[in-house]
Amino acid sequence: QKGGHKHFMIKEIFEQPKVIADCLAGRVDLKTGTVRLPELEGLTSPKRLHIVACGTSFHAGLWGMNLLESWARIPVRVEIASEFRYRDLLLDEDDVILAISQSGETADTLAGIRRAKQMGASVIGLCNVVGSSVARESDHVIYTQAGPEISVASTKAMCSQLTALYLLALHWGAQKGTLSAEVTQQGIAAVHELPGLLDAELPAMRERSKELARKYSGVSSFMYLGRGLNFPLALEGALKLKEISYIHAEGYASGEMKHGPIALIERDFPTFALAMRDDLLPKVKSNLEEVQARDGRIIALTNPGLDMGVDDAWVIPEVWGPLSAFLALPCLQLFAYEVADYLGKDVDQPRNLAKSVTVE
Ligand code: M6R
């Protein structure tokens, strides 16, 4: 069942190349450079989009917001479902809800869908489990096709959600004409290369995560920092670490550090930084200098040729545009996994958690 792996979580992390390929299958045409999402037939691109989700699915939504706004020029809000469902909402027929849920059974996400429908909004469900409540109650469903996810800590589901969000942003961007045919083609060609690249990289990523886990598993707190597209990944890295290793972890937008959390930094409160090459990297670097000035140790996930000058650089290949998330995410998952396993925790069944949260 675990395919020779010690836990479902590690099996599922290693399934991610296939998950990306399966989510792309039938949806991208390399020859014409187009995305096909027949699930959305009859739906034009939304005037306003509200992404509603919990936990890891919420983090995927935050990442997707960046692409949907920049490529498809759609105003997007991303909301935690338990907040959304009780707010004094302003919704009408022009609003579209994108409900993201691996299980399709999360109580708060479902309640959010029901409220939005009562107010006239239409709902797209992005979920993994076929025939689930979210799938049944949505007007349109995009299945992520990640296969069953057994480990309580969600890994491959997020990878599949990112893939689907990437396709959605390309699709609406092309439909609206806000994204050039050239960039759409580039985006499709680049994502098509990902499964092979990730498959080749995963063994080395695992080795590096083991080394770092041994070095850092004695600490009681971790800071995760990222900016822009890497901010949601910082949140996800912190969530993974806390839920399976029980080490306190905070995910923060790097630029927000100096507004409070920097007070916590000291030698035994290390930082895991997402410092891949992008326009915001110089800003991230200066945030990391602030950490170092307070004796904080740093693991930096970065790309070849970038001299980060940190305690532990973790170098991963550079890929096109926003696709770096697909290489960074498994590193964050592997690090959390190796720390938890090294500490002897019950990785697949962490205390106090259920795979699907069907009560409020
Ligand atoms: O099934 P869903 O995607 O709706 O679940 C949402 C969260 O409960 C889930 O992502 C949770 O945060 C995981 N334990 C994260 O690893």
Side-chain angles (χ1 to χ4, degrees):
Q1 250 189 337
K2 292 180 194 155
H5 292 284
K6 187 172 176 189
H7 298 101
F8 282 108
M9 182 176 175
I10 190 71
K11 172 176 179 268
E12 289 162 1
I13 291 172
F14 272 79
E15 281 171 2
Q16 290 176 114
K18 181 175 181 310
V19 161
I20 300 169
D22 289 349
C23 188
L24 295 177
R27 291 176 170 151
V28 292
D29 186 334
L30 271 178
K31 276 200 199 114
T32 57
T34 49
V35 174
R36 281 186 61 248
L37 288 174
E39 300 93 329
L40 299 187
E41 221 163 73
L43 187 79
T44 49
S45 59
K47 281 208 175 126
R48 292 182 294 269
L49 186 72
H50 307 257
I51 300 181
V52 178
C54 303
T56 290
S57 298
F58 170 71
H59 298 154
L62 283 175
W63 183 85
M65 172 185 76
N66 289 277
L67 298 193
L68 288 158
E69 290 198 337
S70 136
W71 288 351
R73 308 308 289 159
I74 296 169
V76 182
R77 296 182 74 143
V78 190
E79 306 226 27
I80 294 169
S82 55
E83 289 293 313
F84 178 82
R85 65 180 290 189
Y86 290 118
R87 282 200 312 106
D88 194 1
L89 296 169
L90 287 168
L91 300 177
D92 61 32
E93 294 73 21
D94 285 337
D95 292 279
V96 174
I97 309 302
L98 178 65
I100 308 181
S101 175
Q102 184 285 130
S103 62
E105 302 298 343
T106 300
D108 286 320
T109 308
L110 264 174
I113 290 180
R114 289 175 189 151
R115 267 212 72 199
K117 282 181 86 173
Q118 274 165 8
M119 297 180 75
S122 46
V123 178
I124 303 171
L126 178 58
C127 52
N128 194 37
V129 177
V130 177
S132 58
S133 304
V134 168
R136 280 185 280 111
E137 298 199 24
S138 299
D139 302 301
H140 304 264
V141 189
I142 301 175
Y143 284 114
T144 46
Q145 294 171 184
E149 190 179 62
I150 310 296
S151 178
V152 165
S154 186
T155 55
K156 65 174 179 171
M158 182 166 178
C159 174
S160 67
Q161 291 162 350
L162 299 186
T163 312
L165 287 162
Y166 181 88
L167 293 182
L168 197 56
L170 286 177
H171 170 72
W172 277 331
Q175 195 179 67
K176 286 182 73 177
T178 48
L179 193 64
S180 70
E182 196 191 339
V183 177
T184 311
Q185 271 182 348
Q186 265 183 341
I188 290 173
V191 75
H192 183 74
E193 297 296 315
L194 258 188
L197 176 65
L198 181 56
D199 203 38
E201 288 299 319
L202 275 167
M205 286 175 174
R206 177 138 196 221
E207 283 316 305
R208 187 72 178 123
S209 67
K210 273 188 191 162
E211 285 165 18
L212 293 171
R214 273 148 192 65
K215 182 165 174 186
Y216 286 93
S217 58
V219 303
S220 52
S221 282
F222 240 101
M223 181 72 84
Y224 282 73
L225 295 180
R227 274 180 182 255
L229 280 165
N230 291 327
F231 167 48
L233 296 177
L235 295 178
E236 177 60 10
L239 175 61
K240 283 288 91 77
L241 188 69
K242 71 184 116 184
E243 74 178 327
I244 59 169
S245 75
Y246 318 142
I247 291 175
H248 162 242
E250 303 217 19
Y252 250 84
S254 317
E256 192 63 9
M257 264 273 286
K258 61 173 79 63
H259 299 284
I262 199 162
L264 294 166
I265 298 298
E266 54 175 7
R267 183 143 184 88
D268 286 329
F269 194 152
T271 292
F272 194 125
L274 290 131
M276 286 86 76
R277 197 188 303 273
D278 65 13
D279 294 347
L280 295 173
L281 184 63
K283 304 274 177 198
V284 173
K285 270 189 167 174
S286 83
N287 298 135
L288 295 185
E289 280 160 18
E290 289 159 8
V291 172
Q292 287 174 317
R294 280 141 193 100
D295 204 24
R297 287 179 292 165
I298 298 174
I299 300 174
L301 201 56
T302 188
N303 296 131
L306 296 175
D307 179 17
M308 296 304 298
V310 294
D311 303 81
D312 289 289
W314 183 347
V315 183
I316 55 173
E318 191 173 341
V319 285
W320 185 81
L323 293 179
S324 63
F326 291 88
L327 295 179
L329 181 64
C331 295
L332 297 166
Q333 297 163 343
L334 284 165
F335 179 69
Y337 173 79
E338 293 298 347
V339 170
D341 187 40
Y342 187 64
L343 295 175
K345 305 298 181 205
D346 187 354
V347 173
D348 284 334
Q349 291 291 334
R351 68 187 182 203
N352 308 336
L353 292 175
K355 181 62 185 162
S356 124
V357 185
T358 54
V359 289
E360 268 199 72

